[in-house]
Amino acid sequence: MEYELSTPLTDEDINKLQVGDTVYLSGKIFTARDSAHKRIIESGAPMDLNGVVLFHAGPIIKQKDDKYEIVAVGPTTSMRMNPYEADVLDMGVKAVIGKGGMDEKTQEALVRNNAVFLTAVGGCAALYVNGINEVNSVKWLDLGMPEAIWELDVKRFGPLIVTMDSNNENLYKKNK
């Protein structure tokens, strides 16, 4: 199935999704990599995480005056976030976008929190940037541009594939 969903995501949105489905997102998504995940665990999130979509990405940003423009944004390897992701999901996150899948602890947290892992295709950074309307804000820029949390306003951002769902299904395990 193919779904167009608006953020923040709800349990009703997640209940529809199964591994193999294609998803397009509109609304707000937030980038977050290793350093941001670590700081969220240690200090708390700089935004309300309920219903949030986190994108494991370090965008290439161009700054002009006080405005930021995304030049390219593609997924980074998600397993780097394994030490933190289950705890971050427990804070209310409903979807994580990345590549390569995640560990069993994260899968259990997806089930426990009725959340999903969405795979973005690596090498499609120029394609994904087309779904971004603008950068709304940036948090924790002291971590550096790739590690900061970028709040992105998106429209039909995707395609994204449900590869780990809230029913304990995992496309990566099925296809091994």
Side-chain angles (χ1 to χ4, degrees):
M1 297 287 295
E2 183 174 296
Y3 295 96
E4 292 195 27
L5 302 175
S6 295
T7 65
L9 298 179
T10 65
D11 282 334
E12 189 175 279
D13 294 326
I14 300 302
N15 290 340
K16 299 177 199 175
L17 302 177
Q18 298 178 8
V19 294
D21 289 343
T22 302
V23 175
Y24 292 88
L25 296 171
S26 294
K28 293 180 192 176
I29 64 173
F30 298 84
T31 67
R33 290 185 3 161
D34 315 51
S35 296
H37 275 72
K38 184 174 189 279
R39 190 177 284 180
I40 288 169
I41 298 302
E42 292 172 349
S43 307
M47 70 283 200
D48 181 4
L49 291 178
N50 287 310
V52 159
V53 176
L54 291 182
F55 185 14
H56 295 161
I60 298 172
I61 305 286
K62 182 168 62 173
Q63 183 177 3
K64 190 172 185 175
D65 301 320
D66 288 341
K67 295 283 282 177
Y68 294 101
E69 179 185 334
I70 301 243
V71 176
V73 63
T76 195
T77 303
S78 293
M79 68 182 191
R80 293 185 359 226
M81 273 53 78
N82 279 336
Y84 315 108
E85 203 67 65
D87 292 331
V88 171
L89 284 161
D90 287 342
M91 294 177 179
V93 171
K94 282 294 181 190
V96 175
I97 303 169
K99 71 176 181 182
M102 299 193 76
D103 65 7
E104 191 60 39
K105 185 177 174 187
T106 300
Q107 180 80 62
E108 291 166 5
L110 292 171
V111 172
R112 180 173 63 247
N113 294 290
N114 197 33
V116 293
F117 180 84
L118 305 170
T119 295
V121 179
C124 291
L127 168 71
Y128 288 121
V129 81
N130 290 332
I132 299 171
N133 293 328
E134 65 181 331
V135 175
N136 288 339
S137 69
V138 60
K139 312 279 193 246
W140 297 342
L141 196 51
D142 63 295
L143 295 175
M145 279 197 168
E147 293 290 336
I149 294 177
W150 296 91
E151 179 185 334
L152 309 176
D153 178 56
V154 298
K155 176 89 172 162
R156 207 166 190 281
F157 184 83
L160 307 166
I161 308 301
V162 179
T163 48
M164 297 169 74
D165 69 19
S166 61
N167 300 310
N168 206 29
E169 294 295 324
N170 184 324
L171 201 56
Y172 293 105
K173 286 183 179 177
K174 274 186 173 181
N175 290 331
K176 272 194 174 179

